[in-house]
Amino acid sequence: MAGVPPFPARALVTLENWQDPPFNRWAFQHLRELIPTARISRGAGPARRLPRAERDLSGITFRSGSRELTVGEMLAESYTDGFLVLHRGRIVTEQYFNGMSPDTPHLLMSVSKSVVSTVAGILAGQGRLEPAAPAERIVPELAGTSFAGATVQDLLDMRAGTHFDETYDNPQADVRTYERVYLWRPDSAEPRPADALAYYATLRNDGPHGGPFEYRSILTDVLGWVLERAGGSRLHDLIARLIWQPMGAEFDAEITLDAHGNAMADGGVCATLRDLGRFGLLFPGTGRRMSRWSVVPAPWVADTIAGAADGPEAFTAGGTGRLHPPGAHYRNCWWVTEPAQSFFYAAGINGQNVYVHAPSQVVVAKLSTWPSALHPVSSVTTDAVRAIVAALRNGGG
């Protein structure tokens, strides 16, 4: 791709530089060689078949801001590693770049949050988790911490009041200490908690629980602890048993761990492109004809799309709503930008996405290695997906 540097030799990639360009181009596909991971087993069952109905989508044109682009141009300029479009369960396009292949696990970053929240939805459907319950009722160790009084739903919706500075370019931000705890960066002489569970207790509140939406990844990590207690298993086993195996994954996935084996729930999952597409397929099919792949409870999907009664107001109050259409909200670790259209997506920094357009049963998965955590091509990708949905609904492409 023009302007995209090649991924470097392995000898150049270190724990200190793996998130930076151009080293991330190699590291996001080889995370297990840098950080401890736990296997998310696909089990011994058959993989869900994805029939092929391939079309060339590269020439679809769309407008993004003042620019007119094609899908092919969007892929070329957005540091794409993998791109998959599914329509009614069939592969319309599947493309790999930057040395990635169908069996390569790629870091999902915060798309991991949507995977973890799906565990919550399944446990809730089984009657093993009550989203309205205080988190400390399930994990008593949270009593006396900043999370006391927060509900499970507050964690799912990023509306707990715990302060957590996630400014990626600030070396003094909370996220930098958190990355050392989770073994994502080299340790230093500066004191830190021994593991993630001890780290949670060091955080303080800067607002009420149930207040405005503020994006704080640490809330999903606490949610992971809650799910382990509610589900009676470690998080990677819950993902395997409740999602990866029932959905018919083709390959094992993995999740990074801290020094005491606590999974990074908010961003540590690595998975292949097709399995990420299979994960997205769990949502358009729910509420329609039931099949062996119906995994996520229909009420959970409906709740995600509808959101809380004050969800849009909380979204706007946190400042994020100004960047999205009216009525947009964040629910159950999904960005619901167009609830009336049942269009929602999972997003991770450096360009990881799963888009779901439920009415047309279109799922788009994109894995990338942007040179920075946040990048202007984010909105361009979303605009491209809207154009793809329109083309497939109209029988074009």
Side-chain angles (χ1 to χ4, degrees):
M1 290 182 287
V4 179
F7 60 89
R10 165 66 184 95
L12 300 177
V13 183
T14 67
L15 196 61
E16 186 171 11
N17 68 20
W18 72 271
Q19 296 186 65
D20 303 324
F23 309 107
N24 62 345
R25 305 228 76 209
W26 181 91
F28 280 26
Q29 299 180 43
H30 298 85
L31 206 59
R32 71 178 70 164
E33 299 176 46
L34 296 164
I35 301 169
T37 63
R39 183 170 69 109
I40 297 171
S41 171
R42 67 164 300 275
R48 177 176 182 172
R49 182 171 170 267
L50 299 175
R52 292 188 173 270
E54 295 182 68
R55 306 180 188 183
D56 181 5
L57 304 181
S58 61
I60 293 176
T61 60
F62 64 96
R63 180 162 292 279
S64 184
S66 61
R67 304 175 65 199
E68 185 168 292
L69 297 163
T70 66
V71 169
E73 288 170 337
M74 179 276 294
L75 295 176
E77 73 174 32
S78 60
Y79 299 82
T80 307
D81 295 332
F83 185 66
L84 178 72
V85 178
L86 299 166
H87 184 215
R88 298 176 182 168
R90 295 174 172 83
I91 294 175
V92 177
T93 190
E94 180 180 8
Q95 300 180 65
Y96 296 94
F97 308 88
N98 186 34
M100 190 172 173
S101 61
D103 63 349
T104 304
H106 190 288
L107 181 61
L108 303 187
M109 287 295 191
S110 288
V111 172
S112 307
K113 293 179 173 68
S114 303
V115 175
V116 170
S117 73
T118 302
V119 172
I122 295 169
L123 290 175
Q126 295 175 347
R128 301 167 67 189
L129 179 72
E130 174 49 61
E136 67 203 87
R137 182 186 302 170
I138 303 165
V139 181
E141 293 92 329
L142 293 174
T145 73
S146 66
F147 299 97
T151 66
V152 177
Q153 194 69 62
D154 290 334
L155 302 177
L156 284 160
D157 294 350
M158 299 283 184
R159 295 180 65 180
T162 300
H163 174 78
F164 186 76
D165 183 356
E166 201 161 335
T167 308
Y168 299 111
D169 57 1
N170 177 8
Q172 305 305 316
D174 295 319
V175 70
R176 294 305 174 220
T177 300
Y178 143 98
E179 286 184 326
R180 288 193 296 124
V181 169
Y182 271 110
L183 310 182
W184 275 41
R185 288 193 183 270
D187 216 344
S188 67
E190 184 180 351
R192 64 164 177 83
D195 66 7
L197 306 188
Y199 178 66
Y200 304 153
T202 69
L203 300 173
R204 297 292 178 263
N205 287 336
D206 62 1
H209 298 311
F213 166 84
E214 294 285 351
Y215 193 84
R216 288 152 292 182
S217 288
I218 200 70
L219 303 185
T220 311
D221 294 299
V222 176
L223 174 67
W225 192 11
V226 170
L227 298 180
E228 288 186 333
R229 289 290 176 85
S233 297
R234 295 177 68 190
L235 186 60
H236 65 275
D237 289 328
L238 290 172
I239 296 172
R241 189 174 72 249
L242 299 179
I243 302 175
W244 232 242
Q245 293 166 16
M247 82 174 188
E250 187 175 359
F251 299 99
D252 291 343
E254 58 200 24
I255 188 167
T256 67
L257 305 172
D258 73 6
H260 291 170
N262 300 299
M264 183 192 266
D266 80 89
V269 176
C270 303
T272 64
L273 181 66
R274 282 202 295 261
D275 283 339
L276 188 57
R278 288 181 175 94
F279 170 70
L281 284 176
L282 299 179
F283 293 85
T286 303
R288 300 175 183 271
R289 181 176 60 85
M290 298 297 288
S291 74
R292 65 174 299 182
W293 310 117
S294 298
V295 174
V296 186
W300 184 260
V301 181
D303 175 76
T304 299
I305 296 170
D310 63 344
E313 290 77 14
F315 200 55
T316 301
T320 306
R322 293 179 285 105
L323 306 175
H324 296 278
H329 59 265
Y330 187 90
R331 183 70 162 179
N332 297 332
C333 297
W334 288 87
W335 300 85
V336 188
T337 55
E338 297 173 36
Q341 300 296 321
S342 295
F343 180 66
F344 52 102
Y345 62 91
I349 59 172
N350 300 95
Q352 325 316 319
N353 287 109
V354 178
Y355 293 89
V356 177
H357 187 267
S360 61
Q361 299 183 65
V362 171
V363 170
V364 178
K366 187 176 188 295
L367 297 170
S368 317
T369 33
W370 297 347
S372 56
L374 306 176
H375 198 279
V377 297
S378 173
S379 59
V380 177
T381 302
T382 305
D383 292 335
V385 171
R386 290 192 182 99
I388 289 170
V389 168
L392 293 176
R393 293 187 85 175
N394 294 331

